[in-house]
Amino acid sequence: MATYNGLLNRAKSHFNLCAFLCTGAGVSTAITCTGIKTTSTIVAAFHISTAASAASMAQVDLTTLSISAANTVKDTTDTTDDQLLIFWVDVTA
């Protein structure tokens, strides 16, 4: 059985798919998302409510997310005290 890191590395090497688990923030606040570039394309994101217990996870409307700078995204919804799991394609790789 493949490990999570093994699957992620395979996805990265074949499809340039990247992922990062970010700490949430208030509305339109810069959120650190290590590795994302301004040329990247966000393909999926999940809001993990109650970060301490990962009580629920919901798909994020991608129109609420934007890449504001290298390693930085903004979300127009409030994710304070929660987490975001963001997947993107690195189109420059």
Side-chain angles (χ1 to χ4, degrees), residues 9-87:
N9 288 338
R10 193 171 316 143
K12 170 71 174 162
S13 67
H14 291 291
F15 306 107
N16 296 327
L17 181 67
C18 305
F20 192 78
L21 183 61
C22 311
T23 301
V27 174
S28 296
T29 301
I31 299 171
T32 300
C33 186
T34 303
I36 202 163
K37 301 173 186 172
T38 56
T39 55
S40 299
T41 302
I42 297 173
V43 294
F46 297 91
H47 179 172
I48 302 171
S49 298
T50 314
S53 65
S56 66
M57 184 167 70
Q59 190 168 0
V60 173
D61 177 358
L62 296 183
T63 62
T64 67
L65 292 173
S66 62
I67 303 169
S68 56
N71 301 313
T72 309
V73 297
K74 287 191 177 181
D75 188 358
T76 59
T77 60
D78 188 5
T79 57
T80 303
D81 298 324
D82 294 333
Q83 293 178 309
L84 289 171
L85 178 57
I86 300 176
F87 294 88

